[in-house]
Amino acid sequence: MGDSSGTGLLAVLVDLGWHDMLMEAPDSTVPLVFRLLGETGAHAPLLNDVIHAAAGRPAAGPVPLPYAGGSWVQWDHAGDDGSLLDPDLPIRQVPPGLEIPLAAGRRALGWWLTGASRAMLTLARTHAIDRVQFGRPVASFQAIRHRLAEALVAVEGAEATLEAATDDLGCLLAKAAAGQAALVTARHCQQTLGGIGFTAEHDLHRHFRRVLVLDGLLGSSRELLREAGATVRTAGTAARLVQL
């Protein structure tokens, strides 16, 4: 993933047995691959494969995906680049599609979001250690340490929910937690990096844009929490999601 992205990365993963691993061991394959996508900043149309596998179908190309705000998008490398939702990702708006299995896709996106969050944390931590003000590394200041600690707690909490998610509601909440953690991490890392974090020369903006797009895929964290609340209210009870 450090050397390739897009269709090139997909070809490499397929040669490594991506589709077989996805069918035979999804519980270990999906967290590993999607977390690495986030950590490295690479991308590939693997979400399409996860959706097809969850539906019991062979990999068969792009599939329309619900997006925040009631719109639909498609992860597809073909087409006019002018229609891309983000210049770094081949995602474009499409007409509404058919109902798809959302739980597996949301869990995969959650791992992608936590991987991107850890990439941002690494950038901010490195800057805090290297940057010196008033004769001391800024990493020694409580204002910096508290922000990074809060972000780390949010990311590890989200990963815990992703590991525990097994059903539709659990995956919904796990994806919401990962989206919230990514947004908290992006905000705190931006504050830690200061002015340099706003520049195109620094890598933070790529991860920041990435988490904004991924949070919206298959429902934003805000929308998913409202959906979970409506589900609990309609049922009149809250399901036990984790055995403690």
Side-chain angles (χ1 to χ4, degrees):
M1 291 183 185
D3 298 326
S4 59
S5 194
T7 54
L9 175 57
L10 176 61
V12 172
L13 291 176
V14 170
D15 287 342
L16 289 172
W18 155 248
H19 290 137
D20 293 335
M21 292 188 293
L22 183 60
M23 297 299 295
E24 296 173 7
D27 290 341
S28 56
T29 300
V30 169
L32 171 64
V33 172
F34 279 83
R35 184 164 49 196
L36 284 174
L37 284 176
E39 292 178 358
T40 61
H43 68 81
L46 305 181
L47 185 60
N48 294 323
D49 296 338
V50 171
I51 297 295
H52 285 305
R57 303 188 298 260
V63 58
L65 306 167
Y67 197 79
S71 60
W72 287 70
V73 299
Q74 186 166 285
W75 198 296
D76 188 1
H77 287 268
D80 179 16
D81 288 345
S83 63
L84 294 181
L85 190 66
D86 182 275
D88 286 343
L89 295 175
I91 300 176
R92 43 185 56 84
Q93 287 191 317
V94 295
L98 300 175
E99 184 175 347
I100 61 174
L102 295 174
R106 284 170 171 166
R107 187 165 177 263
L109 285 172
W111 285 111
W112 197 342
L113 284 161
T114 58
S117 298
R118 288 194 177 275
M120 290 188 289
L121 270 173
T122 298
L123 291 173
R125 178 180 178 274
T126 300
H127 175 80
I129 292 173
D130 294 341
R131 174 70 170 171
V132 175
Q133 275 189 314
F134 310 111
R136 297 166 56 190
V138 297
S140 64
F141 301 148
Q142 281 192 343
I144 297 295
R145 298 172 71 175
H146 287 180
R147 285 185 182 277
L148 297 182
E150 182 179 341
L152 179 60
V153 168
V155 173
E156 293 195 342
E159 289 180 346
T161 64
L162 287 164
E163 290 173 354
T166 56
D167 58 7
D168 289 346
L169 181 59
C171 291
L172 181 153
L173 291 172
K175 202 269 182 174
Q180 283 190 327
L183 296 176
V184 167
T185 301
R187 184 171 65 251
H188 287 337
C189 290
Q190 177 66 78
Q191 290 291 325
T192 299
L193 285 159
I196 194 174
F198 288 95
T199 66
E201 289 77 11
H202 198 277
D203 286 338
L204 179 70
H205 76 284
R206 299 183 184 278
H207 297 290
F208 206 141
R209 290 206 323 269
R210 182 68 51 86
V211 301
L212 290 175
V213 173
L214 295 180
D215 179 58
L217 265 177
L218 306 189
S220 68
S221 54
R222 180 175 296 183
E223 291 173 335
L224 293 179
L225 288 176
R226 284 200 295 263
E227 182 179 339
T231 300
V232 172
R233 186 172 62 248
T234 300
T237 182
R240 183 183 296 276
L241 301 176
V242 180
Q243 298 293 333
L244 299 179

